[in-house]
């Protein structure tokens, strides 16, 4: 278990300045680059950038941000978290990530998903009634393109390809994952296409995801494919003390949870929900020792190859995120490795 990788994910959420006002999108994007540079310097393994098309997130083109990060980092692997494949074109996705792979000297990864928001569908002219069909066909085409051989393909949601090659070629291929929120069908489909499984654990205890990892293993055996890695992604923030970490994140978590509830028809958060998610759910918020112990509990429960920490919490300042990244890389990860060893 000491070979487990430790990464960071960000959605490029809009941060707050010292006066509590929202930071402008251009500065948020520049700050994400700085955060990734710090992540590289403290020895973390992966940095993922999400794709969104709404005002509370600054990043709509992860590959552009990742290319800027690649120019200022040396070893950290770079990927999306996630690329919204349903409303994108797999040919362009491959071309952009193959270009990123060249710029980063072989450090690019794709994490494809349907996304947790739907703004990209009307923005790019896609029908939400084709939600499942779009993702299935695009994932199928992407799987063919990643073989880097001439592709002949036909579907109902884009033009067919006839013996078509795409460029640039990569030096060693593009590691590809599928982001899954907890659907058994999605887990089996990921195994069928022989991609890595990236589980988004954003609420409730991690233990409830153990059956999905077992299902992934069984499905890979059934399809007779090479075993692929499993990663988990959960939100959190590290500060010097538990009290400081909770104080920094509480109001932003409550505001985001309330806003998403209004958008999606969820019940509003109840008193104590924030604390319950920290104590026994998916929030990794606290001092380095508190967060390290919770990660160890998760890793002793779930057989995974990578743990990704979604460090950008709603409304938190850039400076607080930098502190969190530094503590995660320099204190939390060494503690976790010692405990696992």
């Amino acid at each position: 278990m000491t070979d487990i990788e430790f990464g960071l994910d960000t959605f490029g959420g809009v941060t707050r300045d010292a006066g509590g006002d929202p930071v402008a999108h251009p500065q948020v994007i520049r700050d994400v680059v700085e955060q990734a540079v710090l992540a590289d310097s403290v020895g973390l393994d992966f940095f993922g950038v999400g794709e969104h098309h709404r005002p509370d997130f600054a990043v709509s083109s992860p590959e552009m941000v990742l290319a800027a990060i690649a120019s200022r980092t040396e070893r950290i692997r770079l990927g999306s978290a996630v690329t919204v494949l349903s409303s994108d074109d797999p040919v362009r996705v491959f071309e952009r990530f193959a270009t990123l792979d060249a710029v980063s000297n072989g450090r690019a990864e794709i994490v494809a998903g349907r996304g947790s928001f739907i703004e990209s569908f009307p923005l790019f002219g896609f029908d939400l009634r084709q939600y499942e069909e779009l993702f299935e066909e695009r994932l199928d085409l992407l799987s063919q393109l990643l073989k880097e051989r001439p592709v002949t393909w036909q579907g109902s949601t884009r033009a067919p390809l006839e013996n078509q090659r795409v460029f640039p070629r990569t030096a060693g291929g593009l590691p590809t994952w599928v982001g899954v929120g907890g659907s058994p069908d999605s887990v089996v489909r990921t195994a069928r296409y022989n991609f890595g499984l990236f589980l988004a654990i954003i609420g409730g205890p991690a233990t409830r995801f153990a059956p999905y990892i077992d299902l992934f293993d069984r499905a890979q055996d059934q399809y007779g494919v090479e075993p692929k890695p499993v990663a988990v992604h959960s939100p959190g923030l590290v500060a010097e003390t538990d009290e400081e970490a909770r104080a920094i994140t509480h109001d932003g978590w409550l505001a985001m949870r309330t806003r998403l509830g209004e958008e999606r028809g969820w019940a509003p958060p109840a008193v104590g929900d924030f604390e319950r998610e920290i104590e026994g759910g998916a929030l990794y918020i606290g001092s380095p020792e508190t967060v390290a112990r919770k990660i160890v509990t998760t890793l002793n429960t779930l057989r995974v190859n990578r743990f990704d920490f979604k460090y950008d919490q709603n409304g938190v300042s850039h400076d607080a995120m930098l502190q969190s990244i530094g503590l995660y890389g320099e204190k939390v990860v060494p503690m976790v490795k010692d405990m696992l060893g």
Side-chain angles (χ1 to χ4, degrees), residues 34-112:
E34 294 297 330
Q35 291 155 15
V37 171
L38 175 59
D40 186 54
S41 72
V42 296
L44 296 172
D45 299 300
F46 177 78
F47 193 86
V49 179
E51 173 193 347
H52 293 85
H53 305 271
R54 47 186 288 142
D56 41 353
F57 300 105
V59 179
S60 58
S61 179
E63 304 90 345
M64 291 291 290
V65 179
L66 292 167
I69 293 168
S71 70
R72 296 186 54 194
T73 55
E74 297 293 334
R75 55 168 299 277
I76 196 166
R77 296 193 61 81
L78 305 170
S80 50
V82 300
T83 294
V84 184
L85 189 62
S86 305
S87 56
D88 210 331
D89 186 275
V91 173
R92 294 296 289 146
V93 170
F94 175 87
E95 291 175 338
R96 295 196 302 265
F97 276 92
T99 303
L100 173 64
D101 198 59
V103 170
S104 65
N105 196 24
R107 291 185 280 140
E109 299 183 5
I110 301 172
V111 183

Side-chain angles (χ1 to χ4, degrees), residues 261-301:
E262 292 171 350
E263 292 177 5
R264 302 181 184 188
W266 299 342
V271 174
D273 278 356
F274 176 70
E275 290 75 16
R276 279 188 287 272
E277 279 295 327
I278 294 174
E279 297 299 331
L283 287 178
Y284 293 71
I285 290 173
S287 67
E289 183 173 358
T290 295
V291 172
R293 290 191 179 280
K294 185 165 184 176
I295 292 174
V296 168
T297 299
T298 297
L299 296 179
N300 281 327
T301 303

Side-chain angles (χ1 to χ4, degrees), residues 91 95 145 148-151 162-167 169:
V91 173
E95 291 175 338
L145 295 165
E148 302 194 43
R149 298 194 295 265
V151 173
E162 180 67 34
N163 201 36
Q164 184 69 55
R165 299 179 66 191
V166 292
F167 305 98
R169 301 292 298 276

